[in-house]
Amino acid sequence: MAPGTLFLCATPIGNLEDITLRALRVLKEADLVACENRGRTLGLLSHFGIRKSLISYREEGHEELAPAILSALREGKKVALVSDAGMPGVADPGPSLVAQARREGLAVEVIPGPSSLLAALALSGYPADSFLFLGFLPRKTRKRREVLEALAAECRTAVIFEAPHRIVKMLGELAGIIPDREAFLGRELTKKFEERLWGTPAELGALMAGRVVKGEITLVIKGGAAPRQGESSSSSEALMAPEEYLAGLMREGVTLREARDLVARRFGLSRRSVYEKGLQLRSKK
């Protein structure tokens, strides 16, 4: 039997009218639907009169869940992969499954559609010819702060996903790093109680504080001004040269692997070149 196909099927981020005709057809024709949350996916399918066998594929334990999906594909079945909302493969374990399917020569198709990332980016009104997507930030305070501090030197618009119970804390951290930077906060986009807010991190934090915040949140942060011609890259910590920044992280006790990732992401360098430079710096001690 010929191998089946894995369909990466975008689903509405809120308003069910946003689903595409192609997505509906694929969901109807699929032999299996792999999903994050069975209840949410059942609700979506039921709304459109679709009854399908569901199989779990979520962040927790996705490595143990993947073999069942790959087995179905080898048997010639059509499997539709959906996230709780939006495009599967963005801020979820989808890329791992796609990579495994491709290694085995199994067919993968994408069914594009709604995306909170692009919706918030468009609504913000900030430049989007080049932007930085950070997804969900690290849970550990130190690592999260390091990612946020890198935004001080970032000229591109940045997009972050955040859980409602952590948004006030994260905005407080941003207020201490880039207090004057403009930002847009989109909550429950396309849903009945959609909320759109613009302001500095401190202003947005004040609007979120003292209330029960619910729903999906996407934060868009406007990029900073580019360095003026002739301005020294070492004139401030925010404009520090890559090697100097790497050396500073290593002096503070950050592991070479962690420092490599931070420097590569901040300055747009290859992780390999940064790691080799770190080895050179370490050998000089």
Side-chain angles (χ1 to χ4, degrees):
M1 182 182 293
T5 301
L6 175 65
F7 293 92
L8 308 178
C9 191
T11 54
I13 61 175
N15 193 318
L16 296 182
E17 292 181 359
D18 290 336
I19 198 163
T20 68
L21 294 175
R22 187 181 176 201
L24 286 175
R25 178 179 60 79
V26 167
L27 289 170
K28 289 175 182 176
E29 295 177 355
D31 298 298
L32 286 172
V33 175
C35 62
E36 290 184 274
N37 183 298
R38 293 176 65 88
R40 185 171 295 190
T41 301
L42 278 172
L44 172 69
L45 296 179
S46 297
H47 181 84
F48 292 104
I50 301 172
R51 299 186 65 180
K52 287 293 168 182
S53 296
L54 301 184
I55 185 169
S56 243
Y57 190 69
R58 57 186 185 277
E59 186 68 49
E60 300 81 10
H62 69 272
E63 292 179 353
E64 291 74 29
L65 298 168
I69 299 174
L70 294 170
S71 178
L73 293 171
R74 295 187 205 104
E75 292 170 4
K77 294 181 178 179
K78 298 177 181 178
V79 180
L81 175 67
V82 300
S83 67
D84 282 350
M87 192 72 226
V90 179
D92 67 23
S96 175
L97 183 62
V98 172
Q100 292 179 74
R102 289 184 62 244
R103 280 196 296 269
E104 294 193 29
L106 299 168
V108 180
E109 297 289 342
V110 64
I111 314 299
S115 165
S116 58
L117 161 63
L118 296 179
L121 191 60
L123 275 172
S124 72
Y126 304 147
D129 51 338
S130 177
F131 64 90
L132 176 67
F133 176 54
L134 296 172
F136 287 99
L137 300 180
R139 297 285 185 89
K140 293 184 178 179
T141 301
R142 179 176 178 178
K143 290 187 176 181
R144 183 177 65 253
R145 185 168 182 82
E146 287 169 349
V147 173
L148 293 177
E149 285 178 343
L151 292 177
E154 184 57 65
C155 299
R156 295 170 294 175
T157 298
V159 185
I160 297 173
F161 289 162
E162 189 54 281
H165 63 281
R166 290 196 296 267
I167 186 63
V168 173
K169 180 178 180 180
M170 191 265 277
L171 287 169
E173 292 172 322
L174 272 177
I177 298 168
I178 46 174
D180 300 321
R181 195 79 61 85
E182 293 180 45
F184 164 74
L185 187 151
R187 187 181 68 83
E188 294 287 79
L189 293 177
T190 78
K191 298 181 182 179
K192 182 178 180 180
F193 298 106
E194 174 182 299
E195 188 171 26
R196 308 175 185 182
L197 301 170
W198 284 264
T200 65
E203 290 169 343
L204 293 176
L207 291 171
M208 291 286 104
R211 53 184 277 200
V212 178
V213 182
K214 296 182 180 180
E216 305 296 329
I217 292 175
T218 305
L219 185 70
V220 185
I221 304 166
K222 189 175 182 181
R228 289 172 295 182
Q229 187 174 6
E231 184 176 11
S232 170
S233 63
S234 59
S235 60
S236 69
E237 182 179 356
L239 300 176
M240 192 181 296
E243 184 175 338
E244 184 181 353
Y245 184 52
L246 176 62
L249 290 173
M250 293 173 66
R251 283 195 300 271
E252 293 175 5
V254 178
T255 68
L256 179 52
R257 289 184 182 277
E258 290 179 339
R260 171 202 63 190
D261 293 343
L262 288 167
V263 174
R265 181 166 54 235
R266 178 169 181 170
F267 294 96
L269 303 173
S270 76
R271 294 163 76 239
R272 181 176 180 178
S273 66
V274 176
Y275 190 78
E276 290 176 349
K277 176 58 67 175
L279 291 175
Q280 293 175 15
L281 292 172
R282 193 161 65 183
S283 67
K284 294 177 181 179
K285 289 184 178 180

